[in-house]
Amino acid sequence: ADVRKYLETLPLDEEPDVFGLHANADITCKENEAKIFMNTVVSVQPRMSGAGGGKSADEIVAEMADAFLERMPAAMDKAKGSDLTFAKGSDG
């Protein structure tokens, strides 16, 4: 229990100096994360062709989002669960 309380006091993001790095290392890390994110976004966009008549990029992304939502399970309703379903255990 004491360990858990201590861990909750720690920051979610470590400063670069914790690892002996310069503050610019954090900037570089964030830039790299942004590049990876943008590359992922670009990779799911459709390739444009000269023929036309196909779906727009927005339509394809909207269809993908709808498909993801359909596959997601419904949110759990506490009112429909038993008392034990959402009970907190002794370890938290």
Side-chain angles (χ1 to χ4, degrees):
D2 292 335
V3 172
R4 189 176 292 250
K5 286 180 185 176
Y6 172 72
L7 292 176
E8 289 173 357
T9 66
L10 296 175
L12 295 177
D13 295 322
E14 304 84 12
E15 295 296 322
D17 58 340
V18 170
F19 302 104
L21 300 172
H22 190 271
N24 287 344
D26 193 38
I27 295 170
T28 302
C29 179
K30 289 185 185 337
E31 286 178 349
N32 290 337
E33 287 177 345
K35 287 177 187 175
I36 291 169
F37 174 77
M38 291 306 295
N39 286 337
T40 302
V41 170
V42 169
S43 74
V44 299
Q45 289 185 342
R47 306 293 180 243
M48 297 297 177
S49 65
K55 296 178 185 175
S56 71
D58 290 339
E59 290 171 328
I60 292 172
V61 170
E63 286 178 3
M64 289 174 67
D66 289 340
F68 292 144
L69 286 174
E70 287 174 9
R71 290 193 308 236
M72 287 183 61
M76 296 177 71
D77 185 359
K78 286 187 176 184
K80 293 181 181 177
S82 75
D83 293 340
L84 298 176
T85 303
F86 298 97
K88 211 174 215 185
S90 62
D91 60 349

